[in-house]
Amino acid sequence: MNELVRMISEDGTLYVLAVNSTEMVQEMQNIHQTSKVCSAALGRLITAAGMMGVLLKGDKDTLTIKMNGSGPASPVVAVANSKGQVKGYIGDRNVQLPLNAKGKLDVSGAIGKDGFLTVIKDLGLKEPYCAQIPVVSGEVAEDITAYYFTSEQTPTVCALGVLVDPETENVLLAGGFLIQLLPTADEQTISLVEKGLENIKPVTTMLAEGLTPEQICEKVLPEFNMQFLDRQEISYKCDCSVERVTKALIGAGEDGLREMAEDENTEVVCHFCNTKYNFSREKILKLLKEATK
Ligand SMILES: [Zn+2]
């Protein structure tokens, strides 16, 4: 099970989310058959999106994070909702790169540094909320941290990790945490958080040691008495359907439909789950007829 916990420090200065997203990232890998570095890139982004999604308040609220860098795997896209359902896709799932200077999968090289991170929140209002910042490192966690600081003015620390088996390419471990400073936080809170972060091990190392998300929060913030709030399951789930795909086809407009009607069959593949939807010429002509009414 992918477990996400919410915690708050006893003094009310910190709000923390932590997650073990191993199964969700493996499910993503099964669907997209991503290469190792792409599993790490998309795995980190959907883990971040899962945490950011549960921060949304409304039942129907959704959040999209897009990293469009200059690297060969871009764009990397993740969509999440407040119920902990997450989906994503990557521009080129086959990218292979040598390990970086630290001996780690080169996520920054795959996504690329020149480009933008865009966050779109659909909160059921007339216009969605949209914010864009330049990619900071392309390693994802730093970019999410920068997004919160720049666009939401919420000092945040994000850490993410995905461990892939070098032989089988299976996802062994994945997870992350998000620490947010509440308005009650002061200089001392910040320095204690920084002190805690100085000596922490990577998230996947802590998961490998058998720590639960709750224990990771406690380990990362030893100076704070962390109180458990609640837990939620998060999972990889696509919500595509014939109705949605049909709507998208209608969205292509008359010219688009006319072009499709030249073919015997139009196949539409969902970016997020690879489900194939087939529309016969007859069906397309019917949509065209409705569109031109
Ligand atoms: Zn789908």
Side-chain angles (χ1 to χ4, degrees):
M1 193 180 106
N2 298 286
E3 192 192 37
L4 182 145
V5 299
R6 298 176 207 247
M7 298 182 82
I8 190 163
S9 63
E10 195 181 24
D11 63 2
T13 54
L14 299 175
Y15 183 75
V16 186
L17 298 177
V19 64
N20 178 344
S21 59
T22 307
E23 282 177 29
M24 178 177 81
V25 176
Q26 181 58 60
E27 174 70 11
M28 175 283 289
Q29 206 273 336
N30 290 343
I31 290 169
H32 292 295
Q33 294 292 303
T34 37
S35 68
K36 285 174 276 187
V37 71
C38 289
S39 296
L42 186 51
R44 286 184 197 174
L45 196 68
I46 60 171
T47 298
M51 291 190 283
M52 292 165 75
V54 305
L55 288 173
L56 298 168
K57 297 201 169 64
D59 248 15
K60 289 181 178 162
D61 294 356
T62 63
L63 167 130
T64 302
I65 318 174
K66 181 174 185 177
M67 287 187 74
N68 206 346
S70 51
S74 274
V76 191
V77 179
V79 179
N81 63 25
S82 58
K83 294 185 223 102
Q85 297 169 337
V86 188
K87 58 182 182 177
Y89 71 87
I90 189 160
D92 183 350
R93 64 190 171 89
N94 294 313
V95 170
Q96 306 213 22
L97 292 172
L99 297 179
N100 65 18
K102 288 182 186 159
K104 297 270 171 66
L105 291 168
D106 190 4
V107 170
S108 170
I111 295 176
K113 284 182 192 164
D114 290 326
F116 292 94
L117 175 142
T118 311
V119 174
I120 301 161
K121 290 183 189 176
D122 189 344
L123 308 175
L125 305 169
K126 211 168 168 195
E127 295 288 333
Y129 162 92
C130 183
Q132 193 173 60
I133 61 160
V135 169
V136 176
S137 75
E139 293 285 351
V140 185
E142 283 107 324
D143 299 292
I144 299 294
T145 298
Y147 158 75
Y148 274 109
F149 191 78
T150 311
S151 301
E152 298 205 8
Q153 289 81 44
T154 307
T156 299
V157 178
C158 178
L160 301 163
V162 174
L163 185 67
V164 183
D165 187 318
E167 302 296 328
T168 64
E169 305 206 345
N170 283 333
V171 175
L172 299 174
L173 291 164
F177 61 79
L178 200 67
I179 303 170
Q180 298 204 312
L181 264 62
L182 296 172
T184 44
D186 56 18
E187 285 302 318
Q188 202 206 349
T189 314
I190 297 169
S191 68
L192 287 176
V193 171
E194 283 172 348
K195 197 176 142 207
L197 291 170
E198 267 170 28
N199 300 311
I200 63 154
K201 296 170 183 171
V203 175
T204 48
T205 306
M206 290 192 272
L207 290 171
E209 287 170 354
L211 297 190
T212 62
E214 214 173 319
Q215 289 165 330
I216 288 177
C217 287
E218 287 158 0
K219 189 105 181 170
V220 174
L221 299 161
E223 306 287 338
F224 296 87
N225 190 5
M226 297 306 296
Q227 309 284 308
F228 172 81
L229 290 175
D230 65 358
R231 70 183 80 238
Q232 185 171 353
E233 196 178 344
I234 66 167
S235 60
Y236 194 96
K237 198 170 186 334
C238 187
D239 51 356
C240 66
S241 62
V242 181
E243 291 74 30
R244 280 187 171 224
V245 177
T246 306
K247 242 181 169 173
L249 287 182
I250 294 168
E254 280 177 46
D255 289 349
L257 287 167
R258 222 166 255 132
E259 208 170 290
M260 286 175 223
E262 285 170 19
D263 295 320
E264 204 61 56
N265 178 60
T266 299
E267 185 183 82
V268 180
V269 183
C270 174
H271 275 324
F272 296 99
C273 68
N274 291 333
T275 300
K276 294 184 172 75
Y277 294 90
N278 284 289
F279 294 83
S280 63
R281 175 184 285 155
E282 217 183 357
K283 189 80 203 269
I284 297 287
L285 287 172
K286 209 175 141 203
L287 293 179
L288 183 63
K289 205 171 160 189
E290 280 166 27
T292 46
K293 242 186 229 168

